[in-house]
Amino acid sequence: MASLVTKYGKPAIVFHWLTFILVLSLFPMGGLMKDMPISPEKLQLYSIHKWIGITVFLLTAFRLTWRATHPVPQLPTTMPAWQRSIAGAIHTVLYILLFAIPISGWLMSSAKGVQTVYLGLVPLPDLVSKDQALGELLGSLHDTFALTLGALVITHVAAALKHHLIDRDDVLPRMLPFLKVRK
Amino acid sequence: MKARRAIAALLISLAGVALVASASEFNTVQNAKSQITFASKQMGVPVEGKFGKFTAQINFDPAKPEAGRAQVEIDLNSIDTGSDDANTEVKRKSWFDTQNFPTAKFVSSSIKAMGGGKFEAAGKMTIKGRTLDMVAPFTFKPEGKDARFDGTFTIKRLSYGIGEGAWADTSTVADEVVVKSSVLVSATPTPISAPIPATKPAPKQ
């Protein structure tokens, strides 16, 4: 029964923090590589950015499958209902963005005429053909999604810290098991 | 006189032979219906491009392939890699250095038939001041009155010094570049009234 668990399982915790580290690495890469003059490093950075992005996509797919088949701890009953619905909404949008950002990046790459080949080994199909205007559009979509994700992650972190430092509940420790609930 | 008539008859028949022979030689390249493209790999990603401008002289009679000749000169400044950034970069010194070496040139030295409409042109390829032996296989296919010559060959860019320095790392940009040419050539028979003169034509006034 979902209501009986009070902690996240180990796999859920690993999925969460792995995603955090990968997403954190994608931001500076994405920002830097665009303005770099053409060089082998630029081509490498683009490829690595795409490979990590696809990895986040796959990780999120596994993660949601895991989540759908395993109990999820409930939020503390001390939380007001409005806070719980906002937390739920933010989580939903975070998951959607973890899919939408890599997909928009993949389509942008195709539209700009560059196929995406995962790890240099697995070619992804080009779902759209070369079209510079569409490439620009998907590019700004990708950027907007990424900035939204950034803003939501900051909100997510701030809320977790608020739970830990002010509410002193178990919301943060259940995702960071070495932490103790502050008394 | 009998002798004069005989000579005249002989000349006419020779001219006829010459006409037949030249009619089956393909020698006029139709640039608008021809193209030269290339494909390589960057970080495992296939990339394609083309050369917009080139000139080719081809003389080829499928009945006498060994007498055939081919010379192709590519304007390297007409390169289209698919991105503006890369188009600028590949003209720079570490790549083609088009300021000093604006063209790439292939000149055949021998052509031999391999059977089944397949041929091989051996010759010299010159890029960026370096000349290397090359064998370019090609096929010959009649297309109406014309003939299409399709060739595919692989060059190793580093053997010509294309993409030096930091770009020499082949794990980023592969060494192999597959070049494909598809050239439409028509047969323009040399008119009997204007044969290629054995002697110099009279200088124009």
Side-chain angles (χ1 to χ4, degrees):
Chain A
M1 293 288 279
S3 56
L4 293 182
V5 294
T6 54
K7 286 190 293 188
Y8 280 106
K10 269 213 181 77
I13 293 173
V14 171
F15 278 137
H16 172 270
W17 289 108
L18 204 51
T19 305
F20 175 73
I21 292 164
L22 294 179
V23 169
L24 202 64
S25 75
L26 287 167
F27 274 91
M29 255 192 237
L32 274 175
M33 66 190 199
K34 264 198 286 190
D35 299 324
M36 272 170 86
I38 190 164
S39 62
E41 292 72 27
K42 179 175 179 142
L43 299 183
Q44 287 158 9
L45 217 51
Y46 263 88
S47 288
I48 294 167
H49 181 89
K50 291 174 190 182
W51 300 347
I52 295 179
I54 296 165
T55 306
V56 169
F57 178 95
L58 296 173
L59 209 57
T60 307
F62 285 128
R63 186 178 173 192
L64 284 183
T65 310
W66 180 269
R67 189 186 166 101
T69 52
H70 293 78
V72 179
Q74 298 300 298
L75 287 169
T77 44
T78 48
M79 270 174 80
W82 67 271
Q83 280 186 15
R84 273 194 264 175
S85 39
I86 286 185
I90 288 180
H91 287 151
T92 304
V93 178
L94 284 174
Y95 284 124
I96 291 171
L97 288 173
L98 289 176
F99 285 124
I101 298 170
I103 290 173
S104 60
W106 165 36
L107 296 177
M108 159 176 51
S109 190
S110 293
K112 292 192 172 182
V114 184
Q115 197 185 7
T116 300
V117 182
Y118 186 42
L119 306 175
L121 298 171
V122 187
L124 305 192
D126 286 320
L127 295 190
V128 297
S129 49
K130 191 172 177 180
D131 178 340
Q132 203 56 44
L134 180 64
E136 303 289 333
L137 179 73
L138 287 163
S140 47
L141 210 56
H142 187 73
D143 291 355
T144 308
F145 285 166
L147 291 176
T148 309
L149 178 69
L152 288 181
V153 167
I154 291 169
T155 311
H156 179 75
V157 171
L161 290 175
K162 183 244 178 201
H163 277 279
H164 192 62
L165 302 175
I166 296 168
D167 301 335
R168 304 196 173 186
D169 57 25
D170 68 342
V171 165
L172 188 57
R174 63 190 196 174
M175 194 42 99
L176 268 179
F178 62 86
L179 276 187
K180 293 261 179 330
V181 177
R182 287 160 60 99
K183 298 288 173 202
Chain B
M1 283 179 71
K2 259 190 177 175
R4 195 179 279 178
R5 279 174 63 183
I7 289 168
L10 183 66
L11 282 177
I12 289 167
S13 63
L14 279 178
V17 168
L19 179 63
V20 170
S22 62
S24 60
E25 186 196 70
F26 295 89
N27 53 17
T28 308
V29 172
Q30 300 198 19
N31 271 56
K33 292 173 182 168
S34 303
Q35 56 189 5
I36 299 179
T37 60
F38 59 89
S40 179
K41 281 200 168 182
Q42 279 176 15
M43 299 295 291
V45 179
V47 286
E48 284 176 29
K50 64 178 182 211
F51 293 102
K53 278 192 220 159
F54 59 91
T55 55
Q57 282 120 47
I58 290 175
N59 296 80
F60 187 82
D61 178 349
K64 291 185 292 179
E66 65 286 348
R69 280 175 292 137
Q71 181 171 326
V72 182
E73 202 164 338
I74 298 172
D75 176 358
L76 296 174
N77 277 307
S78 74
I79 192 167
D80 181 7
T81 60
S83 95
D84 293 343
D85 267 5
N87 287 351
T88 309
E89 178 65 19
V90 295
K91 288 170 196 160
R92 291 194 180 127
K93 232 179 173 64
S94 57
W95 288 89
F96 283 118
D97 190 9
T98 58
Q99 205 174 347
N100 293 309
F101 306 102
T103 61
K105 192 174 182 180
F106 174 75
V107 182
S108 74
S109 49
S110 70
I111 295 179
K112 61 179 177 184
M114 309 302 287
K118 292 190 174 106
F119 300 88
E120 265 184 15
K124 307 254 183 218
M125 176 70 99
T126 306
I127 309 173
K128 210 178 178 182
R130 297 186 201 185
T131 302
L132 297 174
D133 287 324
M134 204 186 80
V135 176
F138 68 91
T139 60
F140 167 89
K141 276 187 221 105
E143 216 174 271
K145 283 182 183 173
D146 308 324
R148 186 162 288 281
F149 294 78
D150 283 322
T152 301
F153 56 91
T154 303
I155 67 160
K156 298 211 167 204
R157 65 179 179 92
L158 291 176
S159 56
Y160 293 96
I162 304 165
E164 294 171 303
W167 289 108
D169 169 26
T170 54
S171 67
T172 311
V173 180
D175 196 11
E176 289 81 15
V177 180
V178 179
V179 181
K180 285 189 186 185
S181 62
S182 182
V183 180
L184 190 70
V185 186
S186 26
T188 309
T190 312
I192 307 168
S193 56
I196 295 164
T199 54
K200 279 187 181 175
K204 281 182 183 155
Q205 298 296 327

